[in-house]
Amino acid sequence: MIDSIIAGVSGLAAGVVYLFTLGLPNAIMLGVGGTLLYLGAKKNVEPLLLIPIGFGCALVNIPLSELGGEGGLLKIFYQMGVANEVFPLLIFVAIGAMTDFGPLLENPRILLFGAAGQFGIFLTLMIALALGFPALEAVSIAIIGACDGPTAIYVTSQYAPHLLGPVSVAAYSYMALVPIIMPPIMRALTTEKERAIRMVTVKRSVSQTTKVLFPLVVIVVGGLIAPKGLPLLGTIMLGNFMRESGVVARLTKASENEIANVVTLFLGLAIGGTMEGHAFLKPTTLAIFGMGFLAISLDVAAGVLFGKLVCKLTGGKVNPLIGAAGISAYPMAARVVQTEGLRYNKKNHLLMHAAGANTGGQIGSVIAAAMMLSVLKGMGLI
Amino acid sequence: MDNWTFGLTMMIVAGGGTFLTLWVLGLLIDLLKRIYPLTPEKPSHD
């Protein structure tokens, strides 16, 4: 009888005993989960993602919880939609349904800002390779520079699934930090005179037919050049086609709300579930966070420098600050540019131009990922 | 293939391809706007 009671009590105490013997990594990760929850709930930093991620992280690190093990709830979420890439792709349908590409279509040349804003991806790739990361891991780390959570998850879950936790958390954290990361770089690379340049107001010039045909053009052109990225391009453009066609309001609304909400919850929990202490707390994780920061900073710098070039070529008609919005963090990056522009010229409203560059950055990030996947395929690495 | 060759290939082909694809898309959007210009709304006959 006594033996039986002792065995029962040891079952209850096993978690606590584990935490105080082998559980230091778990304890640290409980702190990390708590920090993510604090940032999301108290500081309003990407709460829709950081709260499920933080909660998943906390759950999986409670010793002997088995939530992240085979058959565990978080592992089931992971297998349901992350391992097979369904969740990030459904998020893309939602993003397409939410995005108005109008400002971009008004001035299509601004798409090139969306290309310049991806340059950090390729520079970071070189740095990751120089640090000794294998090719596919380096690609997964560099893709944080896409500044686009679903793209980072899509690529990493396929080619470096063991890095999914740090890459996803880095991608979403830095996206949320865009208002802090962008301004110092924008100020360092431009003169006060350049920042004060006023741009001509965009006139409305796009027909509804053009808006409806745009997603189809993107999938045909993008799909022909980089077929490996068609799931990314196809889903974002499906969402946008539904939005612009205007005939499936129920599906558009469901994509923007119910689907996006449910998938975000499952995706966040699944990512949090990959952050088990013993797997997460490695020097590699720190390196990934460092390079992710570098990637996004280089994107912004490349965008501003490209903006300066365009400013020179157009005889000072383009404010180089809009180049900084050529990343995928929409609409945050455009708002930061608007705020910075107003700081140096109270009549300078750059929002529409910056929103064009920002939506260009959204397409640019997806095209860049599609290109990388297709080039990897061409080289026989995937 | 060494890391250096891989990285440069990615930068030139994928980076260049991204730039080129977005430039082509820009041209196609311009073309679409010419084919389907924004027409002013017709006045109602009420």
Side-chain angles (χ1 to χ4, degrees):
Chain A
M1 180 66 187
I2 296 290
D3 288 348
S4 171
I5 289 173
I6 289 172
V9 170
S10 72
L12 292 179
V16 179
V17 171
Y18 183 94
L19 190 63
F20 286 101
T21 51
L22 301 168
L24 183 62
N26 298 69
I28 294 171
M29 290 310 290
L30 280 170
V32 171
T35 307
L36 294 177
L37 289 173
Y38 172 78
L39 289 173
K42 191 76 180 168
K43 297 288 178 187
N44 209 28
V45 177
E46 294 276 345
L48 289 175
L49 275 152
L50 289 196
I51 287 181
I53 291 177
F55 221 91
C57 173
L59 287 174
V60 82
N61 281 292
I62 291 175
L64 313 179
S65 70
E66 296 179 356
L67 279 167
E70 219 47 56
L73 182 67
L74 300 180
K75 187 76 175 179
I76 291 172
F77 287 153
Y78 181 86
Q79 285 162 341
M80 256 168 60
V82 179
N84 56 21
E85 299 161 354
V86 169
F87 287 166
L89 294 178
L90 284 173
I91 294 279
F92 261 140
V93 177
I95 291 173
M98 289 178 206
T99 305
D100 176 12
F101 286 107
L104 171 69
L105 299 177
E106 301 288 355
N107 182 10
R109 287 176 194 85
I110 222 162
L111 254 175
L112 291 181
F113 284 103
Q118 312 310 318
F119 201 62
I121 297 176
F122 300 102
L123 287 175
T124 309
L125 175 71
M126 297 295 282
I127 294 168
L129 290 167
L131 289 176
F133 282 94
L136 294 182
E137 286 189 9
V139 167
S140 300
I141 294 166
I143 208 75
I144 297 172
C147 221
D148 182 341
T151 302
I153 294 168
Y154 180 87
V155 173
T156 310
S157 62
Q158 208 167 351
Y159 303 114
H162 53 289
L163 300 183
L164 186 64
V167 167
S168 318
V169 173
Y172 280 112
S173 307
Y174 292 140
M175 271 167 66
L177 291 175
V178 153
I180 297 166
I181 296 172
M182 279 175 63
I185 300 170
M186 290 156 76
R187 286 175 210 152
L189 296 177
T190 52
T191 63
E192 208 161 305
K193 193 177 162 199
E194 285 172 331
R195 294 194 285 272
I197 292 175
R198 280 181 72 180
M199 289 181 71
V200 181
T201 313
V202 183
K203 286 183 190 154
R204 196 167 162 259
S205 63
V206 182
S207 66
Q208 194 56 32
T209 311
T210 303
K211 284 186 173 181
V212 172
L213 290 176
F214 168 69
L216 301 177
V217 170
V218 173
I219 56 168
V220 171
V221 174
L224 283 174
I225 297 174
K228 276 296 279 180
L230 197 53
L232 295 167
L233 280 171
T235 45
I236 193 168
M237 288 302 143
L238 164 67
N240 194 249
F241 184 82
M242 291 194 301
R243 171 196 171 97
E244 298 301 346
S245 70
V247 294
V248 283
R250 280 169 52 192
L251 295 184
T252 310
K253 197 166 158 279
S255 304
E256 286 179 74
N257 298 295
E258 291 85 355
I259 294 173
N261 293 341
V262 171
V263 173
T264 301
L265 176 64
F266 288 167
L267 182 64
L269 282 169
I271 291 169
T274 64
M275 294 168 67
E276 200 277 323
H278 294 88
F280 193 88
L281 291 177
K282 290 177 179 167
T284 313
T285 303
L286 270 184
I288 289 171
F289 274 81
M291 280 186 285
F293 180 79
L294 189 69
I296 290 179
S297 304
L298 288 171
D299 281 343
V300 175
V304 175
L305 291 174
F306 185 70
K308 280 171 80 86
L309 176 69
V310 177
C311 179
K312 282 258 185 276
L313 294 176
T314 56
K317 287 181 184 157
V318 172
N319 188 318
L321 291 183
I322 67 165
I327 56 175
S328 184
Y330 177 83
M332 229 180 319
R335 285 191 193 138
V336 174
V337 169
Q338 160 80 349
T339 310
E340 279 298 302
L342 279 175
R343 188 189 289 263
Y344 296 94
N345 183 341
K346 294 282 177 235
K347 293 179 181 168
N348 199 4
H349 293 282
L350 297 172
L351 189 61
M352 283 305 279
H353 303 284
N358 208 177
T359 48
Q362 278 194 307
I363 297 181
S365 68
V366 177
I367 296 267
M371 288 288 161
M372 290 173 94
L373 295 180
S374 289
V375 173
L376 285 173
K377 172 92 175 163
M379 288 195 277
L381 293 174
I382 58 173
Chain B
M1 184 190 309
D2 65 284
N3 274 359
W4 186 241
T5 311
F6 170 73
L8 277 180
T9 307
M10 286 299 268
M11 189 178 266
I12 293 165
V13 183
T18 302
F19 213 89
L20 199 65
T21 306
L22 291 177
W23 178 68
V24 170
L25 277 176
L27 292 180
L28 289 173
I29 297 168
D30 258 337
L31 185 66
L32 274 180
K33 284 170 70 177
R34 281 170 203 269
I35 299 171
Y36 301 104
L38 181 68
T39 46
E41 284 177 27
K42 290 175 188 162
S44 62
H45 298 287
D46 297 337

